[in-house]
Amino acid sequence: MDAEAAASRVLELRTLIAHHDQCYYGSDAPEIPDAIYDALWRELQQIEVQFPVLITPDSPTQRISGAPAEGFGSVTHLVPMLSLANAFEDADIAAFDRRVREALIGQGDLEPDGLLEFGAELKFDGLAVSLRYEHGQLVQAATRGDGSTGEDVTLNIRTIRAIPLRLTASPVATPEVLEVRGEVLIFRADFKRLNQVQRAQGEREFVNPRNAAAGSLRQLDPKITAQRPLRFFAYGIGTVDDRTREQLPATQSGMLDWLVDLGLPVGPCREGILGGAGLLQFWARVLAQRAEFPFDIDGVVYKVNRRDWQDKLGWVARSPRWAIAHKFPAEEAMTRLLDIEIQVGRTGALTPVAKLEPVFVGGVTVSNATLHNEDEIRRKDLQVGDNVIIRRAGDVIPEVIRRVPEARLSTTRPFVMPTACPVCGSQVAREPNGAVLRCTGGLFCGAQRRQALRHFAQRRAMDIEGLGEKIIDQLVEQELVQTPADLYHLSTEVLAPLFRAKNPREESRAASNLVGAIAASREVRLERFLFALGIRHVGEEIARILARTYGDLEPIIHEDWIERLDQKLAVQKENQRRRQRSDPPLVVPLEGIGPEIISSIGEFFAQPHNLQVIDALRAGGVRWPVEIGTKVGWENISAEAVGVVGGEIETASGVCSGQTWVITGRLPSLSREEAAERIRLAGGKVAGSVSKRTDFVLAGEEAGSKLDRARELGVAVIDEFEFLRRMLNG
Ligand code: IVH
């Protein structure tokens, strides 16, 4: 390669890499696999080694530069970095709308009955920075500091791949000077991984993604910052040159689009909203989706959309009059750990549960939180009586995150796990190489029996309507039911007193309804029955694979699971080899069922007790239609000969064969679960979130972010009517 060819290839590679960084960090829609991206990088590095004169500061290879500093220089913000006034109540928002409207009406800008347009955005929970681009090149970056003066963090900011070192040239003219304001943050999944690394290296863990982002940006050694998974979202501008100012889009939303055109990442879920009433709906909608965003948000922000009106409204006391933050209920709160109790789960696992002084967090009052297991308590160094930080995010079970570091009172006491089951007194055993303690009582243990019955009766298993927790608890307490099979022998007379209704007639009616529901559950699909059995690690998906592969229960019971396990391990090994050679992998039956699950299935059917329960269920009339299993291919694969002959397994074929579906919103007639079942029966897969690999989105009423995402990615969206038509016509 001559120097001229190298120069043009280098430019091309830098543009390509910047484009793919933008796809990845800006629109969250990578266009190429990581391996190809890495190859572009390597090629660029090689050419730069060969032709060092071609290296410029805006090359992605130059993101990490400079030696560790003694401290940060300071940067004066020419346009101050303001903060937002916070609102927590609906009334605060109504007052904001009124204030702004009155000011604009008073100045003759808005008609008295005119509605105001707002740009609504997410409020990212990170830290504010200002990035200065001159002639398209990133030249300086600063933290907010006190709003007038911040710290110079240019070298650290340069390591963040989401931030372009050079603005995209087209389709807009490159501004001479542009200061971009935005938030540096860390995504939740990255934060978890970062803390795992910190733990593995014996370093202190970070408290939350925001602190981790702040700590990472304030590292004196940019090499350390470069290892931290920092991201960036732009939400505004500071200083711009005069010529650019004249050409700036007239609205906040237009300005954000313009920043996107310049190659800057802007957060998702922006909306233009006409009139104050719509703001509250936006807030509620985003709050409902809060857990689905891959990063933390602590509220939403409303901004008067017209920029000339923003300027007119100005600011008071370091906050703009034209914008407000509408906060969400905090997801973290401090409270006292009053006690640690032990809960026994369906599979006998002993889970310590924190009993807390009730505290309002994440929008609800919380008095219990999970502590996972004994190791977790030790790792977090918790004692009964400690002050703790708890977190409740979305619908997630509240968790004790850590204790508040403070001198302990003499009244705190360490916690010790019991050696006997607190419910049935059976011995407790530690799982081999696991942190989990289990009660060995099985169905002898009241807690396990209760949970097993709840699991058995639930809608997604045997679907016994009316067999709720209260009735189950009484059935267990009064020893009316030992195993799920006993349910099929219950009479109206036995059940009636459990209902405690107003009069005996109502009790007897409720009881006879339940007897009817139990009877109706006798006819069941095999996959649901398998799921209902409560085999460890066998969820609905695994149960479905088993049912499809074997077609009936008998072959599953008589399967040689030890042999299957050996084969699975051998196939895994072989496929690892094949992957390294880029050969196609062996496809074998029970795809998707790993060795741990196979062991668990084998252990379950090896227990005579479990087989007795199954026999008793069958004797009680439980039955399922036999399906045509697709089991082929095992015969060709012996553990030793794996890799020589690999049997192909055919998966179910049907209208949806090979397709991935996502279901969202309320469908007019089918439940989501029913629609999912139809898709699976037709050979398709149902996924929880929309990606490029999604073939169809089945959307009903009030479909939210998944529908938006589908539209963004151009995934086909159909309604229930069209769905049913396809299912019928094939
Ligand atoms: S606008 C003049 N928009 O919230 C208005 N801020 O106190 C300046 N923040 O320091 C801020 N998301 O760090 C704006 N979409 C958003 C934001 C946002 C997060 C942060 C920002 C600021 C603080 C407000």
Side-chain angles (χ1 to χ4, degrees):
M1 188 184 278
D2 62 21
E4 203 176 317
S8 88
R9 182 63 181 154
V10 157
L11 280 186
E12 196 175 15
L13 286 167
R14 286 178 193 159
T15 311
L16 274 172
I17 290 170
H19 169 75
H20 291 301
D21 280 340
Q22 196 187 347
C23 293
Y24 191 92
Y25 297 104
S27 33
D28 194 17
E31 288 174 354
I32 52 169
D34 292 355
I36 300 204
Y37 177 89
D38 294 343
L40 294 176
W41 247 86
R42 274 198 306 275
E43 191 187 343
L44 177 62
Q45 275 173 322
Q46 276 159 10
I47 304 179
E48 285 183 347
V49 167
Q50 219 181 330
F51 299 95
V53 285
L54 295 176
I55 299 176
T56 53
D58 66 357
S59 173
T61 59
Q62 305 302 303
R63 281 194 176 273
I64 311 170
S65 58
E70 295 274 299
F72 297 107
S74 66
V75 173
T76 306
H77 302 301
L78 297 175
V79 173
M81 291 183 76
L82 305 176
S83 59
L84 295 164
N86 289 328
F88 292 92
E89 314 272 334
D90 292 2
D92 301 336
I93 300 306
F96 163 69
D97 180 45
R98 198 175 331 110
R99 242 182 356 253
V100 174
R101 280 165 39 84
E102 278 169 6
L104 290 171
I105 293 167
Q107 294 172 9
D109 284 319
L110 188 70
E111 294 294 319
D113 52 358
L115 289 177
L116 197 52
E117 182 170 301
F118 296 96
E121 300 167 16
L122 303 181
K123 187 169 186 301
F124 311 107
D125 198 6
L127 67 150
V129 291
S130 183
L131 314 176
R132 186 176 168 92
Y133 288 88
E134 288 177 9
H135 305 288
Q137 307 276 353
L138 175 66
V139 293
Q140 190 177 58
T143 60
R144 177 165 171 270
D146 63 5
S148 321
T149 312
E151 285 176 321
D152 185 337
V153 286
T154 313
L155 294 183
N156 287 344
I157 285 287
R158 282 177 57 89
T159 67
I160 303 176
R161 286 220 236 157
I163 296 179
L165 295 174
R166 194 175 51 183
L167 297 175
T168 313
S170 63
V172 281
T174 307
E176 216 171 288
V177 176
L178 169 66
E179 276 180 18
V180 179
R181 302 274 160 91
E183 199 88 344
V184 167
L185 67 164
I186 290 184
F187 281 18
R188 272 196 300 273
D190 291 332
F191 169 74
K192 261 199 183 150
R193 272 192 294 269
L194 174 60
N195 261 354
Q196 274 163 7
V197 172
Q198 292 287 104
R199 205 179 310 156
Q201 295 177 346
E203 300 278 340
R204 213 163 52 88
E205 288 179 45
F206 295 102
V207 168
N208 57 36
R210 179 166 37 79
N211 286 18
S216 302
L217 196 59
R218 295 200 70 263
Q219 288 291 330
L220 289 168
D221 184 357
K223 283 197 196 65
I224 299 182
T225 312
Q227 289 160 12
R228 303 285 169 78
L230 293 170
R231 302 265 189 154
F232 174 76
F233 286 132
Y235 53 63
I237 55 171
T239 312
V240 289
D241 63 276
D242 291 342
R243 196 174 54 93
T244 306
R245 188 191 322 279
E246 279 164 25
Q247 294 168 0
L248 277 179
T251 59
Q252 168 74 18
S253 43
M255 198 247 310
L256 293 180
D257 292 339
W258 176 66
L259 293 179
V260 171
D261 288 341
L262 289 170
L264 288 153
V266 168
C269 212
R270 304 185 268 136
E271 275 181 35
I273 289 168
L274 199 60
L279 300 178
L280 302 182
Q281 286 161 15
F282 178 78
W283 180 87
R285 219 163 37 241
V286 175
L287 177 60
Q289 289 175 32
R290 186 183 194 179
E292 288 171 34
F293 294 111
F295 45 83
D296 282 348
I297 49 177
D298 56 349
V300 292
V301 184
Y302 314 130
K303 302 176 181 173
V304 170
N305 209 20
R306 273 182 64 162
R307 297 193 48 260
D308 55 339
W309 286 358
Q310 293 184 353
D311 291 342
K312 279 191 172 177
L313 288 160
W315 48 280
V316 267
R318 311 212 64 76
S319 297
R321 233 190 305 229
W322 47 269
I324 197 161
H326 193 179
K327 302 283 287 258
F328 289 150
E331 290 185 319
E332 287 182 12
M334 189 178 91
T335 188
R336 192 179 291 277
L337 178 58
L338 299 177
D339 200 0
I340 298 178
E341 285 180 4
I342 298 293
Q343 229 167 45
V344 184
R346 176 166 62 79
T347 56
L350 266 51
T351 310
V353 177
K355 297 280 146 184
L356 305 164
E357 204 157 277
V359 59
F360 191 73
V361 57
V364 296
T365 301
V366 167
S367 44
N368 296 317
T370 173
L371 287 167
H372 301 291
N373 55 49
E374 191 182 6
D375 285 359
E376 190 85 358
I377 297 177
R378 208 167 303 139
R379 200 167 61 71
K380 290 178 177 159
D381 181 27
L382 298 176
Q383 294 198 0
V384 173
D386 277 341
N387 281 318
V388 289
I389 302 293
I390 65 155
R391 180 179 172 86
R392 180 189 176 271
D395 292 331
V396 186
I397 301 166
E399 244 189 315
V400 174
I401 313 245
R402 66 196 155 95
R403 75 181 188 92
V404 179
E406 59 187 355
R408 276 199 164 112
L409 302 172
S410 58
T411 45
T412 65
R413 63 181 158 84
F415 168 78
V416 238
M417 281 297 266
T419 50
C421 171
V423 177
C424 69
S426 300
Q427 212 186 335
V428 163
R430 185 172 290 278
E431 272 198 349
N433 64 36
V436 180
L437 286 180
R438 257 173 228 287
C439 159
T440 54
L443 286 185
F444 169 72
C445 173
Q448 291 185 58
R449 209 181 311 153
R450 226 185 311 261
Q451 309 277 348
L453 285 167
R454 277 185 203 166
H455 176 81
F456 184 83
Q458 68 171 297
R459 204 170 53 80
R460 285 158 30 221
M462 301 300 277
D463 191 16
I464 306 178
E465 210 185 317
L467 188 55
E469 290 186 12
K470 279 194 191 141
I471 302 292
I472 289 178
D473 288 353
Q474 296 181 72
L475 289 172
V476 171
E477 270 158 34
Q478 299 178 27
E479 302 201 343
L480 293 168
V481 169
Q482 306 286 340
T483 79
D486 299 333
L487 293 171
Y488 292 92
H489 302 290
L490 291 172
S491 64
T492 311
E493 292 71 40
V494 172
L495 286 171
L498 308 184
F499 279 95
R500 305 215 181 102
K502 277 187 229 100
N503 56 54
R505 258 211 13 234
E506 261 180 49
E507 284 177 356
S508 139
R509 208 185 52 202
S512 101
N513 284 347
L514 179 53
V515 170
I518 294 174
S521 76
R522 285 192 171 102
E523 293 267 353
V524 65
R525 288 179 54 84
L526 176 61
E527 60 188 51
R528 280 174 173 253
F529 180 72
L530 283 167
F531 172 60
L533 287 176
I535 306 167
R536 257 179 84 202
H537 303 309
V538 176
E540 285 169 285
E541 189 57 35
I542 302 294
R544 213 167 283 131
I545 299 173
L546 286 173
R548 262 203 217 155
T549 309
Y550 292 92
D552 198 358
L553 186 63
E554 252 356 86
I556 300 180
I557 294 177
H558 294 118
E559 177 62 284
D560 185 341
W561 289 105
I562 295 176
E563 168 85 7
R564 288 293 83 90
L565 178 62
D566 284 349
Q567 283 172 334
K568 196 84 201 181
L569 291 168
V571 167
Q572 272 191 346
K573 239 193 200 153
E574 169 64 16
N575 278 347
Q576 221 165 9
R577 274 197 293 273
R578 288 180 176 222
R579 235 189 333 268
Q580 276 161 7
R581 295 193 304 252
S582 299
D583 287 344
L586 280 180
V587 184
V588 295
L590 304 181
E591 183 70 18
I593 306 193
E596 196 187 359
I597 305 175
I598 292 192
S599 304
S600 161
I601 299 170
E603 276 165 28
F604 183 89
F605 290 112
Q607 292 280 331
H609 164 82
N610 290 331
L611 299 178
Q612 277 162 19
V613 173
I614 291 172
D615 280 344
L617 281 164
R618 271 197 285 219
V622 175
R623 61 186 180 271
W624 46 88
V626 175
E627 296 167 24
I628 300 162
T630 54
K631 183 181 159 225
V632 277
W634 275 124
E635 296 72 15
N636 297 334
I637 308 169
S638 77
E640 302 81 44
V642 141
V644 185
V645 242
E648 293 278 324
I649 175 183
E650 259 180 77
T651 44
S653 64
V655 200
C656 303
S657 176
Q659 297 171 351
T660 301
W661 288 67
V662 170
I663 309 172
T664 179
R666 186 157 31 83
L667 303 175
S669 63
L670 295 174
S671 72
R672 283 211 286 264
E673 192 40 51
E674 281 164 348
E677 195 154 329
R678 283 179 194 218
I679 293 168
R680 289 188 196 107
L681 284 173
K685 267 203 307 201
V686 179
S689 62
V690 180
S691 75
K692 275 194 155 173
R693 279 184 289 275
T694 312
D695 295 294
F696 292 98
V697 169
L698 169 58
E701 264 180 72
E702 286 164 30
S705 62
K706 290 182 188 166
L707 184 56
D708 298 342
R709 182 94 180 114
R711 299 223 164 104
E712 235 171 74
L713 295 176
V715 174
V717 177
I718 64 170
D719 63 8
E720 189 193 85
F721 180 79
E722 172 63 19
F723 171 72
L724 294 172
R725 198 189 58 74
R726 277 170 193 244
M727 292 290 163
L728 283 177
N729 299 341

